[in-house]
Amino acid sequence: METCDVLADMSRNVEIKAKVRNLGDIVSKAKKLSNSEGTWIEQDDVFFTVPQGRLKLRTFQDKTAELIFYDRPDCDGPKLSKYEKCTLPDGSQIASVLSHALGVKGRVKKNRQLFMVGQTRVHIDNVEDLGNFMELEVVLSEDQTLDEGQVIAETLMADLGVEKEDLISGAYMDLLQK
């Protein structure tokens, strides 16, 4: 599979995103691979208008938040994503400031079941107004190559029964705006 490339100096992961055909099947496989029931996370992501990449404020049920900038290509299959995160005790004030300063591009609300499989975050997402998706994020160490991350992603993809034709490009925000 081809991988697309982007920035430097940031945290990196190799990720894939795919439409889920059989929710029960993929959750069952993720539980087995992670040897856990997973963790449920409710997320409300507000995307801001920026000249490059994506900037979102992710707010959790307890009102804590993460401001996340990331840049990755919009292509199917494993792709390199570079990102920076800032954790905030309360996201409400920064949301207002960023909304006024940059403008809001859109909002994505989802319920996410997170499974850890080695160094990979396996997300099973129910996205409001879109449906069910699966996302893999292979978090790369400084000394790991993109190729090593791709192999891990492709192996997990196969283990979870994700087909190439189920892969999607872009972000949930892009799908909502179509």
Side-chain angles (χ1 to χ4, degrees):
M1 255 184 218
E2 267 189 26
T3 302
C4 311
D5 212 317
V6 232
L7 294 166
D9 293 358
M10 301 168 89
S11 297
R12 305 170 304 140
N13 66 33
V14 172
E15 65 180 66
I16 66 160
K17 193 174 295 201
K19 183 77 176 143
V20 169
R21 290 180 192 222
N22 184 326
L23 183 61
D25 185 51
I26 199 164
V27 168
S28 174
K29 288 176 180 176
K31 285 180 179 182
K32 187 175 180 182
L33 288 168
S34 69
N35 196 29
S36 77
E37 291 297 308
T39 303
W40 284 96
I41 307 166
E42 191 174 306
Q43 298 177 339
D44 185 357
D45 294 349
V46 175
F47 285 78
F48 300 98
T49 306
V50 292
Q52 99 178 28
R54 292 180 171 93
L55 180 67
K56 67 183 171 187
L57 181 67
R58 171 169 289 159
T59 305
F60 301 97
Q61 275 186 302
D62 64 0
K63 302 299 178 209
T64 60
E66 295 175 332
L67 185 61
I68 305 166
F69 170 79
Y70 66 99
D71 202 358
R72 70 164 186 250
D74 290 331
C75 62
D76 294 342
K79 51 194 147 280
L80 182 64
S81 178
K82 296 187 180 184
Y83 62 95
E84 286 187 86
K85 278 200 281 191
C86 175
T87 302
L88 305 162
D90 180 350
S92 59
Q93 283 186 310
I94 193 77
S96 177
V97 170
L98 291 171
S99 295
H100 287 98
L102 301 172
V104 173
K105 184 175 182 180
R107 181 180 222 148
V108 175
K109 292 183 179 186
K110 64 183 170 277
N111 286 307
R112 168 171 279 180
Q113 194 169 7
L114 166 66
F115 300 93
M116 290 302 301
V117 179
Q119 70 194 78
T120 305
R121 299 170 58 90
V122 177
H123 303 139
I124 309 297
D125 295 335
N126 179 268
V127 182
E128 190 174 284
D129 298 326
L130 282 181
N132 296 315
F133 295 85
M134 181 278 323
E135 185 178 85
L136 298 178
E137 293 178 350
V138 182
V139 181
L140 299 175
S141 63
E142 275 189 38
D143 62 337
Q144 270 185 308
T145 67
L146 177 58
D147 289 340
E148 290 173 300
Q150 267 189 273
V151 168
I152 293 167
E154 289 170 354
T155 300
L156 263 175
M157 201 173 105
D159 291 345
L160 291 166
V162 176
E163 302 292 331
K164 285 183 182 182
E165 55 269 13
D166 295 329
L167 296 176
I168 60 170
S169 60
Y172 297 139
M173 184 76 258
D174 301 329
L175 294 175
L176 285 166
Q177 290 183 326
K178 286 184 178 177

